[in-house]
């Protein structure tokens, strides 16, 4: 199965500070995604990428930036963290999955990062 | 309404019981995925379906694009089946949209 890792796994930040969440995938997938998960909202898409050098806005991009310096790495950046950004963040990679017959919309998730902004 | 409606919000089962979860879609979807989120918060991919039915052990999932629904059936529930189950449906216009999840609790 696809391998997606995230770091850090837990983070405490102060309001106004800069936070960078990192994601690495070893599947050579073109697409990568950042979601946040909050009670009552399920998973919501923040930013995504179609490949190295590409970043696209998802459903809730305000307050977040993304960076895709390589096929393997996709970062989520909070330039000025706020308490409303306290959440669990999931990274995912996706692409053609010839083994299971999946398609471009099959995604594999990392373990998540718990972020607390005080 | 919500693009992906997932029911029930919560489900309690005794070990050995069978039960089902359902997602209804407000529009035509190209595919659906089902995930289990375990007690550590990890999201595990269970199924990807573009049509029809798939089985894996005690789990079975069906996707009917025309009728706009998907189901996940748990057979002979075990304690390790506890967790929150999400469906996520994909179409070109909206991308991948998640349901709010079904919290499944299995009791001995």
């Amino acid at each position: 199965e696809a391998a997606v890792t995230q770091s850090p796994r837990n983070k405490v930040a102060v309001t106004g500070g800069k936070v960078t969440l990192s994601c690495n995938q070893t599947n050579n997938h073109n697409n990568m995604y950042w979601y946040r998960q909050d009670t009552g909202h399920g998973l919501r898409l923040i930013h995504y990428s179609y490949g190295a050098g590409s970043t696209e806005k998802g459903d809730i991009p305000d307050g977040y930036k993304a960076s895709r310096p390589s096929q393997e790495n996709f970062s989520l950046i909070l330039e000025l963290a706020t308490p409303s950004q306290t959440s669990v963040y999931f990274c995912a990679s996706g692409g053609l999955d010839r083994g299971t017959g999946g398609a471009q919309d099959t995604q594999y998730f990392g373990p998540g990062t718990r972020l607390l902004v005080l | 309404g919500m693009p992906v409606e997932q029911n029930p919000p919560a489900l309690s089962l005794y070990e050995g019981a069978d039960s089902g979860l359902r997602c209804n879609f407000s529009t035509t979807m190209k595919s659906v995925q089902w995930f289990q989120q375990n007690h550590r918060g990890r999201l595990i991919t269970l199924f990807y379906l573009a049509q029809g039915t798939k089985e894996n052990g005690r789990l079975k999932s069906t996707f009917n694009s025309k009728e706009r629904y998907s189901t996940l059936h748990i057979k002979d529930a075990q304690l390790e089946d506890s967790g929150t189950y999400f469906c996520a449906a994909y179409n070109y216009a909206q991308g991948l949209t998640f349901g709010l999840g079904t919290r499944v609790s299995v009791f001995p």
Side-chain angles (χ1 to χ4, degrees), chain B residues 13-19 58 74-81 104 106-107:
Chain B
L13 301 170
Y14 284 108
E15 274 186 302
D18 301 344
S19 192
R58 296 178 293 100
I74 303 173
K75 182 179 178 182
D76 184 24
Q78 302 297 305
L79 296 177
E80 61 263 29
D81 295 331
V104 173
V106 181
F107 298 95

Side-chain angles (χ1 to χ4, degrees), chain B residues 15 26 33 37 50 52 69-70 77 80 82-83 92 100 102 105:
Chain B
E15 274 186 302
S26 62
Q33 296 179 64
Q37 188 168 34
Y69 75 89
S70 178
E80 61 263 29
S82 294
Y92 294 114
L100 293 183
T102 295
S105 301

Side-chain angles (χ1 to χ4, degrees), chain B residues 11-80:
Chain B
L11 186 61
S12 294
L13 301 170
Y14 284 108
E15 274 186 302
D18 301 344
S19 192
L21 291 64
R22 184 179 176 104
C23 281
N24 293 318
F25 313 121
S26 62
T27 187
T28 301
M29 298 295 183
K30 176 179 175 290
S31 65
V32 68
Q33 296 179 64
W34 283 91
F35 303 93
Q36 180 195 20
Q37 188 168 34
N38 64 19
H39 66 280
R40 291 193 180 90
R42 183 72 186 254
L43 272 168
I44 301 162
T45 304
L46 298 176
F47 294 103
Y48 165 88
L49 299 101
Q51 63 178 6
T53 298
K54 285 186 177 178
E55 286 192 63
N56 185 1
R58 296 178 293 100
L59 300 178
K60 182 168 75 172
S61 182
T62 297
F63 174 49
N64 187 320
S65 178
K66 183 178 179 182
E67 300 295 323
R68 299 183 181 178
Y69 75 89
S70 178
T71 60
L72 177 70
H73 192 258
I74 303 173
K75 182 179 178 182
D76 184 24
Q78 302 297 305
L79 296 177
E80 61 263 29

Side-chain angles (χ1 to χ4, degrees), chain A residues 1-40:
Chain A
E1 185 167 324
V4 181
T5 57
Q6 293 181 229
S7 64
R9 294 293 314 279
N10 295 280
K11 173 76 177 178
V12 180
V14 295
T15 298
K18 182 177 180 178
V19 177
T20 300
L21 306 183
S22 301
C23 179
N24 177 275
Q25 54 106 353
T26 58
N27 325 298
N28 201 31
H29 284 159
N30 289 330
N31 301 342
M32 295 187 75
Y33 309 81
W34 275 106
Y35 295 89
R36 62 179 285 176
Q37 185 180 32
D38 305 285
T39 304

